[in-house]
Amino acid sequence: MKQAVHSPEATQWPIIEARLSQGCAALGLTPTPEQQARLVAFLGLLARWNQAYNLTAVRDPLEMVAKHLLDSLAIAPFLFGETVLDVGTGAGLPGLPLAILAPERRFQLLDSNNKKVRFVRQAVLELGLTNVEPVQSRIEAYRPGRKFSTIVSRAVAAESVLPVLAADLCDRPGRLLLMKGRADEAADETAWAALKPIIHRLTIPFLDAPRHLIELRSD
């Protein structure tokens, strides 16, 4: 499953694999060898596409381990139910790493950017992920005709959350998981204050930056 990466950073890959293993262990996660290989292959694919298409501001594959893979996987314990919608997935984050780790769940990865959705489609194809459906659409126009057990979004602004709430896409019971940076960013958003959010502080291995998760429950 692991793919060769022809880049100046090729010598980093043993370090990348070790860092990913250590990070998953610190998060209490135990990916199978095949899942570990898929995660590394996804990172390699992202690094190659990033050189031409500028999918993410993080250029160093070693930095991507913490800032993209482990940051995404840190919310795995909070996933709920069988269906997950990733709103504004960008380069497939956090949806693709989570889908690799949770093959029993069905994921829809939504983004309006054609270039990024093309990358996600290619990643799904090359990684052999049968539980992921990439969708190009704005959330305001997205009408899937169904609801989702978990809706997740990474580094989302309050104004981006409102269409999700208005579209009533979250099932009951269900979870809306919003990934944020500093605690004050999470606490000061009035858009969801009335929904009694639960704010979780996340510790991401190898990442010296604050990370928080806002959990909204529809029980």
Side-chain angles (χ1 to χ4, degrees):
M1 178 56 63
K2 185 176 67 175
Q3 303 169 357
V5 178
H6 303 290
S7 73
E9 300 85 8
T11 56
Q12 290 183 303
W13 292 95
I15 303 172
I16 285 170
E17 292 184 15
R19 180 166 291 191
L20 178 59
S21 295
Q22 295 166 13
C24 286
L27 291 171
L29 303 174
T30 54
T32 66
E34 183 179 9
Q35 290 169 341
Q36 174 96 1
R38 276 194 167 110
L39 289 167
V40 173
F42 166 64
L43 193 149
L45 188 63
L46 177 58
R48 291 199 302 275
W49 273 62
N50 205 37
Q51 294 175 0
Y53 295 100
N54 196 29
L55 300 172
T56 168
V58 182
R59 315 301 297 183
D60 184 351
L62 188 58
E63 288 186 41
M64 289 181 180
V65 175
K67 292 183 177 179
H68 290 333
L69 293 185
L70 297 177
D71 186 59
S72 296
L73 295 174
I75 71 164
F78 298 93
L79 295 182
F80 177 83
E82 298 180 355
T83 56
V84 181
L85 172 65
D86 180 4
V87 177
T89 190
L93 301 164
L96 285 177
L98 291 172
I100 290 170
L101 200 67
E104 73 282 3
R105 290 186 163 100
R106 300 288 304 175
F107 289 77
Q108 289 204 1
L109 274 54
L110 182 72
D111 203 279
S112 62
N113 186 296
N114 177 63
K115 174 177 63 176
K116 294 179 179 179
V117 174
R118 280 176 52 215
F119 167 74
V120 173
R121 289 192 180 118
Q122 185 65 25
V124 168
L125 179 65
E126 291 199 24
L127 299 174
L129 298 177
T130 60
N131 62 330
V132 178
E133 180 184 356
V135 180
Q136 184 181 350
S137 175
R138 295 183 61 83
I139 185 60
E140 295 86 351
Y142 181 54
R143 296 295 180 267
R146 60 169 302 169
K147 296 187 179 183
F148 297 88
S149 306
T150 297
I151 300 176
V152 61
S153 198
R154 188 173 186 242
V156 69
E159 56 268 21
S160 300
V161 178
L162 296 178
V164 178
L165 299 176
D168 195 25
L169 295 175
C170 193
D171 208 350
R172 292 182 179 272
R175 302 288 185 271
L176 179 57
L177 305 177
L178 310 174
M179 302 170 69
K180 301 289 283 185
R182 301 188 310 272
D184 56 352
E185 287 181 331
D188 290 346
E189 299 285 14
T190 58
W192 50 70
L195 301 176
K196 300 180 180 178
I198 304 169
I199 300 177
H200 306 273
R201 182 180 183 274
L202 304 176
T203 300
I204 312 301
F206 308 108
L207 183 61
D208 185 19
R211 298 295 288 153
H212 292 81
L213 180 68
I214 302 173
E215 181 185 15
L216 304 173
R217 298 186 177 187
S218 60
D219 294 329

